[in-house]
């Protein structure tokens, strides 16, 4: 599927530092050590509604990863999916009386426009689930051959009992797992399951629902195995970063990692599991069901996208925080100060600032720390005539903000 267009990334003098990231699975900040290509998979949207600030916050975090790796000299292979067939999409399409494909196309196009406006570097592979049904079926066949599946009627389930690493990503206890599984699209109470946490790999055809042929009957794929199949196809096992919002830790990333492990025999499926925090609004996590979404496309009508980007960068990617309109006002003021500062004929030492900003970004993407350093540079006077140009390029290349 078509991705979106890439902004030009200036090449900075010297080289960035090795990037260290917090890995949810091992619960520590560790150096990423890409061998050759740096491979990253970030879970994409289910295109039934417009991009909200929570999405933007997540994709921005992984955009910083992408930019830091490039600055350190890596060739980055970035893959993202879009879940263009799933229950929420079909339910929404039916509720508003629109064909599900039409709804998906419309929302994917809006997502592309939002990502472009925010200057998020596009994935190399932007993959719709409906494009790769055969690849997904192939992974399910491999899981069947390894005895990891069973059927309930026309549906195919993955058996937790076949996954020796189950729990390794989230570290959650059984009770937490069951609660989150029920909250996030799972079906712990379904009759006929061997274990409440067994999950759906393939949903047999239902009247009125889209379906595809497969070696195990007509139907459509479950959520987790989609990402597993796409990551295996484009990146292979043992890729460097599997990313998404922290609400994907369980069940999505836990179950995907087990599928990858059982299908390939290789562990870990991803070398680091990296998660962005949740953005709240009016006291609660932004979500469709609570109706408290702030859409990027609406915000863009009144604000410079670079100010939106700066407002998000002002909070560390792993923290949970609340959006308030004054965050945008603060970001607009910062953007104006930085633009004035790089328009000066000279400023304080630019190379020294670049070295310190690189340190902050390499330290688990400390964007707020980087912003503070640039604020201090912009507020001080100096006689380095090359500094304003260098700082403009640095802010563009590392933070993605065009001044
Ligand atoms: Zn995913």
């Amino acid at each position: 599927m078509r991705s979106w267009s890439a902004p030009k990334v200036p090449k900075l003098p010297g080289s960035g530092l090795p990037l260290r990231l917090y890995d949810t699975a091992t619960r520590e900040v560790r150096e990423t050590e890409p061998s050759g290509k740096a491979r990253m998979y970030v879970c994409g949207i289910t295109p039934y509604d417009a991009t909200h600030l929570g999405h933007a916050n997540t994709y921005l975090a992984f955009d910083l990863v992408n930019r830091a790796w490039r600055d350190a000299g890596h060739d980055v292979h970035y893959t993202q999916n879009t879940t263009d067939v799933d229950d929420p999409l079909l339910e929404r399409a039916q509720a508003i009386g629109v064909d599900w494909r039409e709804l998906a196309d419309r929302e994917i196009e809006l997502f592309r426009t939002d990502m472009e406006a925010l200057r998020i570097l596009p994935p190399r592979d932007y993959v719709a689930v409906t494009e790769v049904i055969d690849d997904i079926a192939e992974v399910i066949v491999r899981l069947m051959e390894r005895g990891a599946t069973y059927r309930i009627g026309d549906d195919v389930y993955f058996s937790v009992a076949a996954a020796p690493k189950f729990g390794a990503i989230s570290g959650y206890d059984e009770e937490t797992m069951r609660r989150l599984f029920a909250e996030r699209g799972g079906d712990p109470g379904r009759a006929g399951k061997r274990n409440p946490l067994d999950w759906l790999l393939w949903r047999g055809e239902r009247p009125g629902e889209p379906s595809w042929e497969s070696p195990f009957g007509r139907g459509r794929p479950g959520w987790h195995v989609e990402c597993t199949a796409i990551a295996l196809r484009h990146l292979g096992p043992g890729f460097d970063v599997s990313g998404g919002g922290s609400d994907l830790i369980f069940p999505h990333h836990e179950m995907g990692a087990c599928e990858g492990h059982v299908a390939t025999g290789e562990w870990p499926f991803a070398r680091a599991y990296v998660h962005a925090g949740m953005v709240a609004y009016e006291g609660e996590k932004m979500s469709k069901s609570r109706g408290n979404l702030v859409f990027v496309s609406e915000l863009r009508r009144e604000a410079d996208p670079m100010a939106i980007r700066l407002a998000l960068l002002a909070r560390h990617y792993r923290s949970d925080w609340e959006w308030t309109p004054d965050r945008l006002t603060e970001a607009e003021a910062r953007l104006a100060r930085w633009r004035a500062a790089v328009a000066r004929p000279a400023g304080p030492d630019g190379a020294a600032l670049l070295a310190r900003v690189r340190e902050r970004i390499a330290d688990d993407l400390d964007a707020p720390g980087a912003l503070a350093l640039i604020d201090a540079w912009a507020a001080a006077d100096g006689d380095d005539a090359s500094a304003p140009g260098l700082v403009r390029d640095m802010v563009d290349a590392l933070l993605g903000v065009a001044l």
Side-chain angles (χ1 to χ4, degrees):
M1 190 173 62
R2 185 174 62 84
S3 192
W4 55 92
S5 61
K8 203 166 163 3
V9 180
K11 181 85 187 80
L12 299 175
S15 172
L17 302 165
L19 175 62
R20 304 169 77 240
L21 290 173
Y22 181 83
D23 169 32
T24 300
T26 54
R27 288 163 197 79
E28 59 184 3
V29 176
R30 286 193 295 117
E31 195 170 304
T32 58
E33 298 169 279
S35 46
K37 273 198 177 67
R39 296 171 295 162
M40 173 163 71
Y41 186 95
V42 179
C43 292
I45 56 163
T46 299
Y48 66 98
D49 216 336
T51 321
H52 59 70
L53 279 178
H55 295 131
N57 189 55
T58 294
Y59 298 115
L60 177 56
F62 295 98
D63 192 53
L64 295 184
V65 173
N66 195 339
R67 289 169 182 273
W69 272 342
R70 286 168 182 239
D71 184 49
H74 295 295
D75 177 15
V76 180
H77 190 155
Y78 174 23
T79 300
Q80 186 181 138
N81 69 301
T82 185
T83 304
D84 64 340
V85 60
D86 201 8
D87 296 343
L89 172 69
L90 299 176
E91 286 161 14
R92 176 102 170 126
Q94 192 167 31
I96 61 173
V98 173
D99 184 86
W100 62 276
R101 282 158 294 213
E102 198 183 309
L103 176 61
D105 287 348
R106 190 171 79 197
E107 297 305 341
I108 290 167
E109 187 50 34
L110 183 58
F111 178 71
R112 288 189 185 106
T113 314
D114 286 336
M115 291 296 103
E116 251 174 48
L118 292 173
R119 303 182 90 242
I120 306 279
L121 300 175
R124 185 179 298 182
D125 321 295
Y126 189 39
V127 184
V129 165
T130 53
E131 294 176 313
V132 291
I133 301 288
D134 289 348
D135 290 339
I136 298 166
E138 201 180 300
V139 170
I140 297 173
V141 167
R142 279 154 79 179
L143 296 172
M144 286 177 159
E145 287 167 357
R146 285 161 177 75
T149 69
Y150 64 93
R151 282 174 178 271
I152 301 178
D154 294 334
D155 300 341
V156 181
Y157 277 82
F158 185 102
S159 174
V160 164
K165 299 290 187 184
F166 190 70
I169 307 302
S170 68
Y172 294 157
D173 60 30
E174 177 99 5
E175 193 190 324
T176 307
M177 286 180 176
R178 285 201 198 188
R179 178 173 56 78
L180 293 175
F181 189 48
E183 281 175 22
R184 296 171 180 167
D187 56 356
R190 179 163 183 195
K193 286 175 73 169
R194 294 176 188 171
N195 182 314
L197 291 171
D198 292 343
W199 64 92
L200 188 72
L201 292 169
W202 187 259
R203 178 174 158 88
E205 185 176 28
R206 305 287 200 279
E209 289 188 4
S211 62
W212 289 262
E213 289 294 346
S214 81
F216 31 87
R218 284 193 74 84
R220 61 183 166 94
W223 176 28
H224 317 303
V225 72
E226 304 168 353
C227 287
T228 307
I230 295 168
L232 283 176
R233 172 64 181 260
H234 290 279
L235 302 174
F239 57 96
D240 296 285
V241 165
S242 171
S246 58
D247 54 349
L248 296 188
I249 296 171
F250 193 91
H252 189 55
H253 286 167
E254 189 81 72
M255 294 180 172
C258 288
E259 290 164 351
H261 179 217
V262 175
T264 64
E266 292 191 43
W267 185 263
F269 181 57
R271 295 163 77 178
Y273 283 85
V274 180
H275 295 102
M278 293 290 114
V279 182
Y281 183 56
E282 295 171 338
E284 293 198 78
K285 181 196 144 184
M286 264 185 221
S287 77
K288 174 75 198 153
S289 53
R290 295 187 180 104
N292 61 339
L293 302 178
V294 178
F295 294 115
V296 172
S297 45
E298 282 178 18
L299 220 46
R300 282 203 280 121
R301 277 187 219 133
E302 55 198 76
D304 185 329
M306 293 301 95
I308 301 171
R309 191 164 169 123
L310 268 183
L312 297 172
L313 288 172
R315 300 303 303 250
H316 189 258
Y317 81 98
R318 278 202 281 131
S319 62
D320 296 324
W321 54 280
E322 182 160 348
W323 174 261
T324 50
D326 61 327
R327 293 190 188 282
L328 189 58
T329 314
E330 283 166 24
E332 282 167 335
R334 173 175 271 140
L335 186 62
R337 287 199 306 274
W338 287 11
R339 282 182 171 154
V342 299
R344 297 178 295 179
D349 189 337
L353 177 66
L354 172 59
R356 295 183 67 199
V357 167
R358 276 175 164 154
E359 277 173 22
R360 289 298 82 233
I361 297 295
D363 181 13
D364 196 26
L365 307 175
D366 178 15
L371 264 54
L373 291 170
I374 298 163
D375 283 343
W377 178 87
D381 292 323
D383 55 10
D384 178 356
S386 68
L390 178 60
V391 172
R392 183 196 299 267
D393 283 353
M394 176 192 74
V395 169
D396 187 346
L398 298 182
L399 300 176
V401 176
L403 294 179

